[in-house]
Amino acid sequence: MPEFTGEAGAALVFLIGYLAVFGWMLFAYLTHRIKWRSRYSLLFFHVTIRVASQACGIGFGVLGFANTNLFLAFLILGAEGYFSLVLCAFRFVISWHQHNLASRESWLEPRDLPNTNKLRKFFLFIFLGPLAFLFYRDNPMVIFHCVLILANVAIVVGGSYLAGADYSDPNSADTRKRLQVSKISRTAGQSVFLAGNAILLGIILVTIRNNRRDGDARKKKGTVHPTLTLLLIAWFPLIVRGIFGILQASVFSLSYYNPDNYGASGFTHRFTAIEYVLGVLTEWIACVLLNLTYFTSKNDPKKSDLHDTVDLNRIEGSAPADVEKL
């Protein structure tokens, strides 16, 4: 008979937490406080995925192994939630560059020129995948997107491959093979995400250093823009989540596929606490901090029209750093 377990309770707590964020973002969209075509759209996508993931977590916590499809959906949606959140953090740094640097350009992702064929660019990504970077070598984010996509595929494939294992006979050759292949695949994917988080820290610190030296849209030098402070704070739960991802993929005692982590109706209390504190709480905190940048960036100027930026940079003797003075 279905029962409301501790795992279902933890999933419900974070479902409420993510629904609160979902409600705030939907309100902000409907009242035009934030735009659909903005950095917040990817964050909204993350929140939507996490709402679905937590709903599946409640279902699995109540039904247990009577419905394993809910369990698989919980795992896959959780992986996609972390993937989207890492991309969110980079998008927020890029947006800060575009709103606050004198050039109104981000050195992470130069904006497309007005005559760029965006449909062609889209299909290059669709058909070429990671090879698209051959056409956009001057755009670091293209390469990074491609690498993260491959890492995400490795994590999802590794988890799905292990889902077919026979856990009634954990010492069988097939089960042991599946465990090894999944461990390698998931660890490799999580390692890329962890490396991405390390790179993110370097980018944030370089941006903060330049902000102190050159100032920003507030016309202040020697200080740090509050949005950058929030991004730096948000990095800490993200790196904890990344380290946990590595450990969960490589240490069997922390794995979803360790039978000792399950009772008759689902996760043990120990595993539930580990999963939700290190896996879900860290993502929710980072998500809330990214949302708070709305308040710290309200007075930032709009992104300059790219036509104006290009024309200004063509003026003799005006380097991008000097655009603000013209």
Side-chain angles (χ1 to χ4, degrees):
M1 181 177 179
E3 61 176 304
F4 196 82
T5 62
E7 196 277 332
L12 177 60
V13 168
F14 283 99
L15 176 62
I16 294 172
Y18 269 107
L19 281 175
V21 179
F22 182 90
W24 146 250
M25 296 194 74
L26 189 60
F27 167 77
Y29 279 125
L30 294 177
T31 56
H32 306 290
R33 284 170 168 79
I34 59 178
K35 298 179 180 179
W36 287 105
R37 293 185 62 182
S38 69
R39 63 187 183 275
Y40 294 101
S41 294
L42 186 56
L43 188 60
F44 189 66
F45 177 68
H46 162 78
V47 173
T48 304
I49 288 177
R50 262 303 175 186
V51 167
S53 176
Q54 295 313 120
C56 291
I58 293 174
F60 174 67
V62 172
L63 299 175
F65 293 103
N67 191 329
T68 56
N69 289 331
L70 284 174
F71 174 59
L72 292 177
F74 172 74
L75 295 186
I76 293 173
L77 288 171
E80 296 308 302
Y82 179 48
F83 167 66
S84 60
L85 192 59
V86 173
L87 283 179
C88 279
F90 278 89
R91 301 288 347 148
F92 274 59
V93 176
I94 291 170
S95 178
W96 188 90
H97 288 165
Q98 293 173 338
H99 285 270
N100 286 276
L101 296 185
S103 64
R104 298 295 187 263
E105 282 283 353
S106 173
W107 38 271
L108 278 173
E109 186 180 69
R111 285 190 287 165
D112 293 328
L113 293 172
N115 59 350
T116 300
N117 188 331
K118 294 189 177 182
L119 188 61
R120 174 179 176 272
K121 184 177 180 180
F122 172 77
F123 281 111
L124 278 175
F125 276 100
I126 293 295
F127 291 109
L128 296 182
L131 295 178
F133 79 89
L134 295 174
F135 293 87
Y136 299 97
R137 289 187 295 273
D138 59 340
N139 191 326
M141 282 305 296
V142 169
I143 300 174
F144 187 73
H145 274 99
C146 294
V147 172
L148 277 189
I149 289 171
L150 290 176
N152 186 55
V153 169
I155 293 170
V156 172
V157 169
S160 301
Y161 184 68
L162 195 54
D166 181 9
Y167 296 104
S168 62
D169 186 12
N171 294 318
S172 69
D174 179 69
T175 300
R176 293 176 69 86
K177 175 187 174 183
R178 287 177 179 272
L179 284 170
Q180 186 64 22
V181 171
S182 177
K183 179 179 179 179
I184 294 172
S185 178
R186 294 172 65 233
T187 301
Q190 292 288 354
S191 297
V192 172
F193 279 105
L194 188 63
N197 278 323
I199 293 171
L200 175 63
L201 175 61
I203 291 170
I204 292 174
L205 291 178
V206 168
T207 302
I208 287 175
R209 183 200 65 187
N210 293 345
N211 181 214
R212 284 181 178 274
R213 183 191 64 201
D214 303 327
D216 51 52
R218 301 172 303 156
K219 313 291 186 185
K220 295 180 181 180
K221 293 185 179 182
T223 62
V224 177
H225 195 291
T227 296
L228 294 179
T229 301
L230 282 176
L231 291 175
L232 180 60
I233 297 172
W235 178 84
F236 287 96
L238 279 178
I239 197 65
V240 171
R241 174 65 179 88
I243 293 171
F244 175 63
I246 289 281
L247 293 175
Q248 198 168 45
S250 58
V251 179
F252 190 61
S253 62
L254 296 174
S255 174
Y256 289 113
Y257 305 101
N258 181 0
D260 293 337
N261 290 329
Y262 297 89
S265 57
F267 294 155
T268 63
H269 294 307
R270 169 187 170 275
F271 189 70
T272 296
I274 292 173
E275 167 65 22
Y276 277 90
V277 171
L278 297 179
V280 184
L281 177 60
T282 49
E283 289 188 25
W284 185 81
I285 291 173
C287 176
V288 169
L289 288 168
L290 291 178
N291 262 292
L292 288 177
T293 62
Y294 163 76
F295 299 100
T296 59
S297 60
K298 287 178 68 174
N299 296 322
D300 288 353
K302 295 181 180 180
K303 288 186 287 189
S304 296
D305 183 80
L306 193 56
H307 287 282
D308 297 337
T309 303
V310 172
D311 290 341
L312 285 170
N313 288 335
R314 284 174 178 169
I315 297 175
E316 185 176 356
S318 63
D322 299 323
V323 170
E324 190 174 301
K325 301 175 184 179
L326 295 176

